[in-house]
Amino acid sequence: MQVKDKRKSRRGVGVLALVCLVCHLALAPNIALGNGHANFALVFAEVVALSVGGPTGVLCGFLGGLVYDLSSTGPIGLMAFLLTAAAYPLGMEVHDRIGEDPGSTYVPVAVTTLVVTFVYHLAMLLVGQSTSFFEGVVFRTLPTALLTFLAYIPFAVVLGRSTRGGGRRLGTPSVQGARRAARHSLRTR
């Protein structure tokens, strides 16, 4: 029997939000590649969507985007919309994909990161915050996507290790999980 501890997941999301907020406000402005900076609000939305999913992931995507919008010079609501729209498909399965295999989340996160940053910088071009399409894509979108994806990797590795027990290696099933599955299959026969 599995017991779902809502307080534990809320505490985890709260701690993750605090860590991402501090990283976004203190670390991201100081680390740049071209004109791109890591987007820790996007990292927060992706991690919550892939670990909790469902309405919580979408809500955290909206709140993370709103914090990003309030801390930047862009239009308020743009990143909130983009992160809400990005968190929905990432969290549709509503199970802990990071805990099961963090390596399997790298491709969807890379694609989501690239799409969100491209659409954001395209919108910034349309509102006049960027000078040219080439500058928006090459000097802002690609470096921002790269730095954001690189910022996601430590979160995935740490959360992948903390949700799995003990000294398991990446991608290997746990002994307890195999025993539970065997007992369940015996009961259903």
Side-chain angles (χ1 to χ4, degrees):
M1 180 171 116
Q2 292 182 351
V3 177
K4 188 171 185 176
D5 185 9
K6 289 185 179 183
R7 288 184 184 178
K8 183 178 178 184
S9 81
R10 286 181 187 157
R11 279 190 306 258
V13 169
V15 168
L16 179 67
L18 185 62
V19 168
C20 286
L21 179 66
V22 168
C23 288
H24 182 71
L25 295 176
L27 185 65
N30 297 318
I31 299 174
L33 181 65
N35 288 336
H37 298 275
N39 183 348
F40 282 96
L42 178 55
V43 171
F44 171 67
E46 290 169 339
V47 169
V48 173
L50 289 169
S51 60
V52 178
T56 304
V58 173
L59 178 65
C60 287
F62 174 76
L63 293 175
L66 193 60
V67 167
Y68 182 90
D69 288 334
L70 292 174
S71 66
S72 72
T73 59
I76 294 178
L78 177 61
M79 187 58 76
F81 169 72
L82 291 173
L83 294 188
T84 302
Y88 181 74
L90 282 177
M92 281 192 335
E93 295 176 10
V94 190
H95 72 280
D96 189 10
R97 289 175 61 187
I98 293 177
E100 290 175 2
D101 184 18
S104 69
T105 63
Y106 293 158
V107 171
V109 165
V111 170
T112 302
T113 301
L114 189 61
V115 168
V116 167
T117 56
F118 176 73
V119 171
Y120 182 78
H121 288 104
L122 182 65
M124 296 304 274
L125 175 70
L126 294 175
V127 296
Q129 294 252 351
S130 194
T131 56
S132 70
F133 181 79
F134 181 75
E135 187 260 337
V137 171
V138 174
F139 295 118
R140 290 182 189 251
T141 299
L142 296 177
T144 299
L146 178 66
L147 288 172
T148 303
F149 179 71
L150 291 176
Y152 167 80
I153 292 172
F155 286 94
V157 170
V158 168
L159 289 174
R161 285 186 183 162
S162 68
T163 56
R164 290 189 319 259
R168 284 188 6 196
R169 289 184 296 194
L170 294 177
T172 58
S174 70
V175 174
Q176 292 175 345
R179 287 181 186 157
R180 264 187 258 140
R183 277 185 276 168
H184 180 64
S185 67
L186 289 175
R187 279 189 235 149
T188 57
R189 288 184 189 174

